[in-house]
Amino acid sequence: KEGKKDKEGKKDKKKDGKEQPAWKKEASKKAAPAELDGSAFDIRVGVVKEVRKHPDADSLYVEKIDVGEAEPREICSGLVNHMPPSGLDGKTVVVMCNLKPTKMRGILS
């Protein structure tokens, strides 16, 4: 088999004659991940209440999305090149709510 040692301890080479990089060999040795539990994800359906362009980024919108909490969530998205703001306003969207908040060009999302 490619990338493994034969009986004499020599390394086999890939078809193109090069050895596999060390990081690739290590990655293939790692155990398969445990089964994912769907309860780890807080996925909610929300409605986009407001859409505006990000003041410091040409490719980002800042949206206020109502996901059933006291206040709408403010979320940044990279949809500027794909949809006009009018195409998002009032739309129903799926939101992953248990991600760690992070600043995107100065706005907490």
Side-chain angles (χ1 to χ4, degrees), residues 66-95:
D66 182 7
V67 290
E69 298 172 333
E71 294 291 320
R73 287 184 179 237
E74 193 166 71
I75 298 174
C76 293
S77 69
L79 295 173
V80 170
N81 297 328
H82 307 285
M83 297 183 79
S86 60
L88 286 170
D89 202 18
K91 290 287 185 185
T92 303
V93 295
V94 177
V95 180

Side-chain angles (χ1 to χ4, degrees), residues 8-27:
E8 294 147 12
K10 296 179 183 174
K11 291 182 184 176
D12 287 356
K13 296 186 179 183
K14 294 183 353 180
K15 290 178 184 177
D16 60 3
K18 296 179 183 176
E19 281 189 39
Q20 283 185 322
W23 65 268
K24 207 170 198 179
K25 290 177 191 174
E26 290 299 318

Side-chain angles (χ1 to χ4, degrees), residues 36-50:
L36 281 178
D37 180 14
S39 65
F41 304 110
D42 183 7
I43 300 172
R44 300 183 202 170
V45 175
V47 177
V48 179
K49 295 295 184 182
E50 180 185 323

